[in-house]
């Protein structure tokens, strides 16, 4: 009886592993394709060559020739770091406030914040563009940073995570003489660091990969971000796909690095910061 | 060390009043325990004393100072929480010294205070560890240490032992009693465990629905409760209540008949002036007060037995289907279904009127 049961489980496990392997392959395929593409020239890529070639260094050299790499990395990094810093700051304070100071008007306000999640960005683009133009921020990095600072999703994420922040810690801190802002800085922030790490990765990826909005508000080449530059390479009259793939790899590296460095905190943050 | 006074204190959350006019005078150095069922307001009252909840109406004095609007950190109190509330990102040493450091005390003084508290509680080897690596009992000791370093006038404990296992709870109870002797500080302690209340307290406050039902020494409450609620709440297993009806009353005695117990009638030496003939009353008898060959006797059928070794609890039923709990030292030969003759001495019976108030 026991033997049959364990065989059954192994059979189920087998299918689970087959399914997971297939899904993993599906996820990783674009990355493999990207790396293979970076080592081949445009003709081979167009033919669908699926093996490594010998064009990698040539493609890299071409990429550095055609693109001011330090400038686009500086632009993207500046926008991403400022966005992360302020978005995490604003969203964590808002999430903490919504959870800790409860009242009926505040709950209504929170509902409105959540409702904004249901409006697609495409519907917001034109009014947002008009607003940004009216304050004279078109063709500035501030035009990219400002609209994303109070992110409804990150506020929601921090509020949900704050539910796991023990109320007694706040009480203990009050008895120890801390004011509310000091509780936030000295207790909440270090206790919730894995939540911050997870939110940082989410905001970092969203900001680093942001394409549509920068495309609309940025006009000068010297202000453009890495996604815009790679896209312009790909949409040239005779696109060099090997170079595009090198650019894509370079654009992916910071995100990968951040994820691998903060992997543990990210997973912990997703599971709940306070144990 | 300070006395503490609550005068006509009330607390409302919106239209819901949870503390309904509490007057208490706690003397300096006393160990006072708040007990009561869940939702009675004992933790709310403690949090009002700590300054974590506002006082809606009434006054709180610690020493001679009115504390209603004083910041929690300036009330001269220290609090130990049910979940210990240790800062998880700090070591034991940092946890214990945090309030002092934050209050502006010099590094050397903080270190000395922390070391002194660690010596008292035997925390020396734990000082550089984080709370997550400590056992429940160790965390509890750290939480107490964090309170001690502040040298408060009043210690507040909010169900501090409820997260510990039974053995550790007994151990910590003894430690707390020893600590109180050593520090001689006023302690207010909230619990729903009446064994903790009886063993630790100099005085017990029994609360129900935001009202103080009785305030007194533990054995006073046990032997001489003011009402049926206190009589039933203090003592484990709880007091038995036998329904009775008044047959005759006078200024010095009251003749009554037990309902559901073979209609046994007897006299109780109480002032029956406030009682009416024919009124329904209750007779309270503690489980350990049932004996054989007593003043008032009746027969019961044994339903269930619990043998604890040194004593046994008998759950028995009268002919009128009233269930009683009896405690006996020699119950090993009794079996389920046995008929037993038991009774009680009249001087140990407590009389409660139809409004559940004690008649003395």
């Amino acid at each position: 009886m026991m033997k049959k049961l364990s065989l059954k489980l192994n059979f189920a496990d087998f299918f689970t592993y087959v399914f997971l392997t297939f899904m993993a392959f599906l996820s990783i395929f674009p990355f493999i394709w990207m790396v293979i593409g970076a080592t081949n020239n445009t003709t081979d890529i167009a033919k669908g060559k699926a093996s490594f070639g010998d064009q990698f260094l040539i493609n890299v050299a071409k990429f550095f020739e055609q693109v001011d790499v330090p400038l686009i990395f500086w632009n993207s990094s500046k926008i991403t770091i400022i966005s992360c810093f302020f978005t995490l700051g604003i969203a964590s304070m808002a999430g903490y406030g919504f959870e800790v100071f409860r009242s009926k008007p505040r709950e209504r306000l929170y509902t409105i914040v959540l409702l904004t999640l249901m409006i697609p960005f495409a519907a917001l683009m034109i009014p947002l563009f008009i607003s940004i133009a009216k304050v004279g921020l078109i063709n500035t990095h501030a035009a990219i940073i400002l609209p994303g600072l109070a992110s409804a999703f990150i506020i929601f994420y921090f509020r949900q995570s704050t539910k796991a922040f023990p109320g007694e810690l706040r009480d203990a801190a009050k008895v120890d003489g801390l004011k509310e802002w000091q509780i936030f800085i000295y207790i909440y922030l270090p206790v919730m660091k894995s939540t911050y790490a997870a939110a940082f990765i989410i905001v970092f990826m969203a900001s680093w990969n942001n394409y549509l909005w920068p495309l609309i508000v940025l006009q000068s080449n010297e202000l453009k971000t890495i996604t815009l530059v790679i896209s312009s390479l790909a949409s040239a009259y005779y696109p060099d796909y090997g170079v595009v793939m090198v650019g894509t790899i370079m654009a992916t590296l910071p995100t990968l690095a951040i994820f691998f460095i903060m992997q543990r905190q990210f997973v912990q943050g997703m599971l709940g910061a306070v144990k | 060390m300070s006395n503490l006074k609550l005068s006509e204190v009330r607390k409302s959350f919106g239209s819901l009043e949870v503390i309904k006019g509490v007057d208490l005078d706690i003397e300096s150095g006393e160990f006072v325990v708040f007990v009561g069922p869940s939702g009675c307001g004992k933790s709310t009252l403690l949090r009002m004393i700590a300054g974590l909840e506002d006082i809606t109406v009434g006054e709180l004095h610690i020493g001679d100072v009115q504390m209603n609007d004083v910041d929690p950190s300036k009330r001269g109190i220290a609090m130990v929480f049910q979940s210990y509330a240790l800062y998880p990102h700090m070591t034991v040493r940092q946890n214990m010294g945090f309030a002092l450091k934050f209050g502006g005390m010099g590094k050397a003084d903080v270190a000395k205070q922390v070391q002194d508290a660690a010596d008292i509680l035997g925390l020396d080897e734990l000082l550089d560890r984080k709370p997550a690596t400590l056992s429940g009992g160790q965390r509890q000791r750290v939480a107490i240490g964090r309170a001690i370093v502040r040298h408060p006038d009043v210690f507040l404990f909010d169900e501090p032992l409820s997260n510990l296992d039974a053995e550790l709870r007994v151990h910590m109870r003894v430690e707390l009693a020893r600590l109180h002797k050593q520090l001689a500080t006023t302690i207010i302690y909230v619990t729903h465990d009446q064994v903790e209340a009886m063993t630790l307290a100099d005085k017990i406050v029994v609360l129900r629905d935001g009202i103080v039902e009785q305030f007194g020494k533990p054995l006073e409450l046990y032997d001489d409760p003011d009402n049926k609620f206190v009589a039933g709440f203090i003592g484990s297993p709880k007091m038995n209540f036998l329904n009775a009806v008044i047959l005759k009353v006078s200024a010095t005695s009251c003749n009554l008949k037990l309902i559901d117990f073979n209609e046994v009638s007897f006299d109780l030496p109480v002032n029956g002036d406030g009682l009416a003939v024919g009124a329904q009353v209750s007779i309270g008898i503690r489980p350990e007060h049932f004996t054989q060959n007593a003043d008032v006797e009746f027969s019961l059928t044994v339903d269930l037995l619990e043998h604890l070794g040194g004593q046994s609890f008998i759950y028995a039923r009268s002919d009128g289907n009233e269930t009683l709990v009896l405690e006996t030292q020699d119950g090993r030969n009794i079996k389920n279904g046995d008929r037993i003759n038991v009774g009680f001495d009249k001087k140990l019976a407590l009389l409660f009127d139809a409004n559940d108030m004690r008649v003395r």
Side-chain angles (χ1 to χ4, degrees), chain A residues 173-222:
Chain A
K174 278 186 189 171
V175 173
D176 281 347
L178 276 73
K179 304 279 175 239
E180 202 65 55
W181 68 269
Q182 291 167 322
I183 295 172
F184 184 83
I185 302 282
Y186 294 111
I187 311 296
Y188 178 84
L189 219 140
V191 169
M192 304 297 281
K193 68 174 184 232
S194 49
T195 300
Y196 276 91
F200 175 77
I201 290 178
I202 294 167
V203 178
F204 184 95
M205 282 169 63
S207 182
W208 186 265
N209 296 329
N210 196 2
Y211 171 70
L212 189 58
W213 183 241
L215 181 71
I216 293 167
V217 292
L218 292 183
Q219 288 144 8
S220 315
N221 280 336
E222 65 273 15

Side-chain angles (χ1 to χ4, degrees), chain A residues 25 42 64 80 86 119 217 268 271:
Chain A
F25 180 75
T42 305
F64 274 85
T80 302
F86 283 103
I119 306 169
V217 292
Q268 204 181 333
L271 291 174

Side-chain angles (χ1 to χ4, degrees), chain B residues 69-86:
Chain B
D69 301 317
V70 176
D71 190 82
S73 62
K74 301 206 165 59
R75 292 187 178 204
I77 55 112
M79 190 158 172
V80 176
F81 295 87
Q82 185 175 0
S83 68
Y84 322 127
L86 300 174

